Amino acid sequence: MLDFLGDLKRTHMCGELRASDAGSKVALMGWVNKRRDLGNLIFLDLRDRSGITQVVITSDAGAEMHDKATAVRSEFVVAAIGHVKLRDPNTVNKNIPTGEIEVVADELRILNDCKPLPFTPSDSVLANEEVRLKYRYVDLRRPEMQHNIELRHKIAIAIREYLNSQGFYEIETPFMTRSTPEGARDYLVPSRVYPGEFYALPQSPQLFKQILMISGFDKYFQIVRCFRDEDLRADRQPEFTQIDLEISFPRPETVFRVVEGFLKTAFATIGVDLATPFPRMSYDEAIRLYGSDKPDLRLPPMKNIADFFEPGSLEGLKIDPRMPLLAITIPGVGKLSRRERDEIRRLVPLLADNTTMVNPRVFEDFERITKSFPSAAEKIRDAVKAADDSLIVILGSGTPQGVFSVQGDRKRRELTYKHAGQLRLALGHGYAERHGAFKHGNFRLLWVTDFPMFEWDETEGRWNAAHHPFTSPHEHDMDKLESDPGAVRALAYDVVINGMELGSGSIRIHRQDIQAKIFKALGMSPEEQQSRFGFFLEALQYGTPPHGGIALGLDRIVMILAGAESLREIIPFPKTAKAVDLMVDAPTPVSERQLKELGIAVVGKKDL
Ligand code: ASP
């Protein structure tokens, strides 16, 4: 192979040659990005992951080589041996780093041809996504994809090196295992040896990393694939990569410091210097100020303005005065036309699903508020520090339709904040051009802490765990586990960037008696506890140190740093929104023989 290189000591990358190489003999190998045939001169732009060099075949090269160059098409793989020559000043291409030189070929080898392509990496208009995913190997040759994959590599390496420098061990945990309770459906792997029994692919290494703490590996991390069978959205994939870590004897601060450290190194790969420590905010504060547990700090917070109105005036507006009344401020919007105000009204029915509990009422015309309630309007303007061109929109909860329990009212209050939070974001996106706060490069990170331990399900009339059930309650709230579960805070925290959750973690329960109490509070019978987590409850009794950790989505970090629109742009071989791999065509039916071996009978779709 490649004998034709003869005594050439090394080959060059296509993006590597510069003016200082002029005169040297070189060999380049790569793909033909473009061919231009000027009759006696043929130009081949040769491309590899490092860039592009122009190769020129002159008439001096002889008829045989000229014919070969004529036969070359886009994406042929070729080798060119020749001399580096400075280009004439008027043909220098300032847009590429190799633009000052070209390689005059003495020899051209076609190493492989290429069928006519559905699209080429040099196309300026992107093929549709299904075609890109089916021919992913061609798509990945595009410079943008090469850049994204390189960035992904650099970020992962930077994080590994940082964690290694802090004394963490990277330890692998099994893919074929038991169900982990992260709240999604499991992907199952049938056992041939034990027909009718299944392994579950891990939704996270949660229980294994806790076991590693019991085993004395006090600082664990893993950049690890997790599998969750859940309804897919643009920013979800059935398999995704987490930066997973766990620490023994930590306080939340210990985890924060480690994460801030590795995120700083990750962001440095694109030249961003993240300021640390990140701000902290309790869950309650986040809901009150941003109507979300993932606050987007790039826009101003909301303000509860219910007290600015005279008693009785809110009822007149068909607003429930017991619920918060929120002013949303978006800077730089300017005066709105009638049509633009109508568009805001049209957003309201799109807010959260549970509208019957809140029945949101929205006032998008602040001038009218000013006319009807001049003193309240002045207080509102002051309180939200609105500039003349700020948009102020008010959202409250409509007069309730029905009677709610105390828990139900608590939930309505929270939902009112959340509706306002959603409207705030929808407006923020709608007017992004005007306020400019969403431009790439404006990264606002924070920690959200003190999440509630349980969530009330009004329909079922019961409490659900807000996180996985190994999350520790606040020490001070232990006594409320039975008397007032809604007031119990969890030692759980999220790291959030620009309104997106980057990662989530907690201090864990390390005592078996408390773990059993939590399972009980969640309505899990001792039998169910044993059958689902028996091995773990047993392990907790063999000298478990206090421990805690976190997991961050690597894909999302790369997506944000690459400025990409979807996870599919930064995962080499992603699935479609319908969980299909179009390149390998998976999932597929399997043979009768395979099914039989596994003891599986497939019922027709209509029987499901
Ligand atoms: N296992 C959790 C998750 O995947 C993260 C953690 O608690 O460390 O969301």
Side-chain angles (χ1 to χ4, degrees), residues 182 203-204 206 209 228 242 244-246 468 504-506 508 549-551:
E182 296 282 0
Q203 293 187 30
S204 78
Q206 186 61 34
K209 65 174 172 174
R228 296 186 191 177
Q242 279 190 344
D244 190 44
L245 60 94
E246 197 75 7
H468 56 66
S504 169
S506 60
R508 325 294 184 188
I550 192 164

Side-chain angles (χ1 to χ4, degrees), residues 531-558:
S531 81
R532 290 184 63 190
F533 308 117
F535 77 99
F536 184 66
L537 288 174
E538 179 169 18
L540 282 178
Q541 297 172 68
Y542 290 98
T544 302
H547 60 284
I550 192 164
L552 282 81
L554 176 68
D555 307 295
R556 205 169 274 184
I557 294 174
V558 178

